[in-house]
Amino acid sequence: MIQSLRRQAKIYGAIAAMVPKEYSAYSIWVWMQFIVQILSMMIFVYFWRAVYADTRTLGGLDLQQTINYILLAQILMPIVETRLIFQFGFMVRNGGVAVELLRPLDFQGRFFIENLAGLGVFAIEKLPLLLVAVVFFGLQLPTDPLVWIVFLISLTLGASILFLFDWIFASLAFYSTETWGLSVVRIGVATFFSGALVPLTMMPTWLQDVAAALPFAQTIFVPVSFLSGITPIANALQVWLVQLAWLAGRLVLSGWVFRRGVREVTVQGG
Amino acid sequence: MKRYAALYWYFLLQRFKILMEYRVNFLIGASSTVILQIAGLLTIWVIMSQVPNLNGWNLNEILLVYGLLTLSKSITHMFADNLWTIGQDYIRSGDFDRFLVRPIDPLFHLLADRFCHDGIGNFLIGAGLVAVSTAALGIAWTPLNLLYVVIAVASGGAIFIALNLITATSAFWIVQSIPVTQIIFNTHEFAKYPLTIYPRAIGLLMTWLIPYGFASFYPASYILGRDVGALAWMGPIVAVVLLVVGYRVWLFGLRHYASTGS
């Protein structure tokens, strides 16, 4: 039992260790995203300052809260841009999926670990951006370490929920080869309803209802609200429970969808 | 010139034959950008419906700025999308050498090689925004106004193409030019809103160095009767100058092109 657990840990550890290497192989893209994100932070800051020129609060938030929220949401936004459906689509097209399924390793578990390791690399990679936001754009971060812990747990839960959603979504690649169009639609919907562009509290009720019915807010709006001081950490337990409920629901659903979808795979040679 | 027009038409026809082979993909591609636009527009609507104005610009005026920019952007998207992928799709594979041995201009060949239907959705969104916002603002579509908008959009499109051309030329040295293009291209986001909300330095940058301001803010100001002086009329001049500079840079790059040898 212990032996097998250790073996498992070793395998997953090796998979997780691959992720930073993959990232560093594409350093020019990392730089590009760094600059592009600074540009969009700049635009957002000036835009929101102009918005607040004639008003003190909007959706219950004042300018500083909104700036905090928007800057953090902007930094985290790339999380909602998934690659999973491309990976699935690619594997189906080149036949790699057959090999992957034969490996003596849980297919979903492998991708989940990769995803979590990716989140870790992502968090470290975004630290310079956080610094830029604090120094140049007036981002005010909480000093209480407890807030950070609450945020990180909530973010991990949120990223896991999104991963499972994408698992379900990517299983569509087993049915349709039109993965690009699907993913563009998915990114558009996710970007808006995750609250990456505008805090969900500012939206009219009907849009807030739609956002609440979708999982994307769990990944950006919910964790960022802790860090920007919108949600007090006294609510942490309650928020986590909601996130865990989302997670459990997605877990069951994703397993079911995948088992059905994978039967439909027609591997196109390879 | 006539020969090139005929050739372009021929290329376009071939391209549509390919696209029509995959009708569903064509429709999804052409409409997918619409989804992304809707997210951005909903954001503006959510915010602007709660505040009276943005630095003196109301929702419809902002939408006009946004619409003009989207129209100009769709021009590059439709007619010059290959400038994005010249490095990874043509130079790396050695396909670019094919253009050099043909009896037509290599740049023309590159651009004509792939009309990008994904830009159609953006074009329709931009045109819709301009139509709806001007109607709501009670702006009359006199022939002069119409001509002005057409020229402004064409100039804006040319500015987009020229800037992408300059950054794409880097592919002759570094092959993968997308990151370079992306950084300069992304500054167009500044021009989605009236340039007056930014500090003066950004306004100057968007006017004289990376002049996306001529694709949105200046023509919108003119249509709305806001005084921006001679800048309301300078778009076409800036576009022509930038195109000439861009083509020179391209020729310079072409002279330094050493095939990847694949």
Side-chain angles (χ1 to χ4, degrees), chain A residues 195-216:
Chain A
L197 300 174
V198 57
L200 295 182
T201 43
M202 286 185 193
M203 291 185 185
T205 343
W206 63 275
L207 278 176
Q208 286 195 35
D209 290 343
V210 178
L214 293 167
F216 308 116

Side-chain angles (χ1 to χ4, degrees), chain A residues 3 9 14 16 27-28 33-34 37 69 75 81 94 109 128 133 162 166 176 179 183 189 244-245 248:
Chain A
Q3 193 101 46
S27 63
I28 184 164
Q33 202 178 47
F34 181 65
Q37 282 194 282
Y69 176 90
I75 293 172
E81 286 171 19
N94 75 359
L162 190 71
D166 274 331
S176 160
T179 48
S183 71
V189 172
L244 280 172

